[in-house]
Structure formats: C-alpha cells, structure tokens
Amino acid sequence: MKPKILFVLCLLVGLLFVNAGLDKFFHYMPVPKDMPEKAAKAGMAFMTIGWILPLVGAAELIGGLLLIFKKTRALAAVILVPIITGILLANISMAPQGLPIVAVIIAVIVWVIADNWSKYLPMINE
C-alpha cells in the first residue's frame, strides 16, 4: 500500500513542479490579485534579471518529471531540494499563507529521500 501512496503523491507533486516549470517559460497562469506586495516585487525582480526564471523553470520541469518515475526519484529529490528551500524561505518571509502546501511538498520529498537513502550513501561514504 505504501508504494502506491508514494506513487500518487510523487505524481501529484511532480505534476505541480512540471506546471510551475512550464509557467516560468510560457507565463500562462494569472498572478493572484491578493499576492503580497513583497512577493510581487520579488517576482518582478526575477523577471528583470532574465536568466533566473528559465534556470529555475528548467530545474522544476526536469525535477518534476523525474519525480514521477520510481527509478529517478532519488535524483529528482537532489534537484528539487534547493528549489523547495527557496520556496520555503519565500513563503516564510513574504507569503506565510502558502506554508501548508509547502509543508506537504517537503513531506513528500523527505519521504522520497528516506525511501532512497541507500542510493545517497555512496556520496557520503568513502
């Protein structure tokens, strides 16, 4: 039963990241009207810089796709942890109403890391 639950959660979180990554390229999702001012300014700054959104979008897209498949979930977690850290810090400082969703995403990624712990051990062992 656990593998099926993990698959469904990874599928949902993976699709969430695929959608977020595609939006960084095509800008098809509308900006919420109640977005905090600090978050809106940060978003405009990222768009002004130019190279950050495509980089993060590509990482979200690749990480989301890899998260869907069991064989590549360990690599997906390595790719997505820095992105999730940024999402967490942005939500803490600018939009705390998004923290419950971030907590669920973090829980899924922590589960993936725990499930694939043996794959990470060669990186830290000699």
Side-chain angles (χ1 to χ4, degrees), residues 3 8 17 22 24-25 32 34 40-41 45 57 59 62-64 86 89 95 97 99 104-105 116 122 126:
V8 170
F17 275 108
L22 288 174
K24 303 267 187 317
F25 291 105
D34 61 343
K41 284 183 181 179
I62 293 167
L89 294 174
Q97 66 271 18
L99 285 174
V104 171
I105 294 169
N116 291 288
E126 287 189 60

Side-chain angles (χ1 to χ4, degrees), residues 93-124:
S93 64
M94 293 182 275
Q97 66 271 18
L99 285 174
I101 296 169
V102 176
V104 171
I105 294 169
I106 289 171
V108 171
I109 297 301
V110 166
W111 189 358
V112 167
I113 291 169
D115 197 45
N116 291 288
W117 188 248
S118 63
K119 294 179 183 176
Y120 300 117
L121 288 177
M123 291 191 296
I124 55 177

Side-chain angles (χ1 to χ4, degrees), residues 2-4 9 21 26-27 33-36 48 60-61 67-68 73 80 89 94-95 99 101-102 111-114 125:
K2 278 185 186 180
K4 290 180 183 179
L9 291 174
F26 302 115
H27 308 290
K33 300 211 184 319
D34 61 343
M35 179 180 278
T48 302
E60 287 177 341
L61 184 61
L67 191 62
I68 295 170
R73 282 186 192 145
L80 292 175
L89 294 174
M94 293 182 275
L99 285 174
I101 296 169
V102 176
W111 189 358
V112 167
I113 291 169
N125 290 337

Side-chain angles (χ1 to χ4, degrees), residues 52-89:
I52 290 179
L53 284 183
L55 177 66
V56 173
E60 287 177 341
L61 184 61
I62 293 167
L65 288 171
L66 292 174
L67 191 62
I68 295 170
F69 304 102
K70 182 175 175 42
K71 187 175 184 177
T72 57
R73 282 186 192 145
L75 178 59
V78 170
I79 293 170
L80 292 175
V81 163
I83 294 169
I84 294 169
T85 303
I87 293 169
L88 175 64
L89 294 174

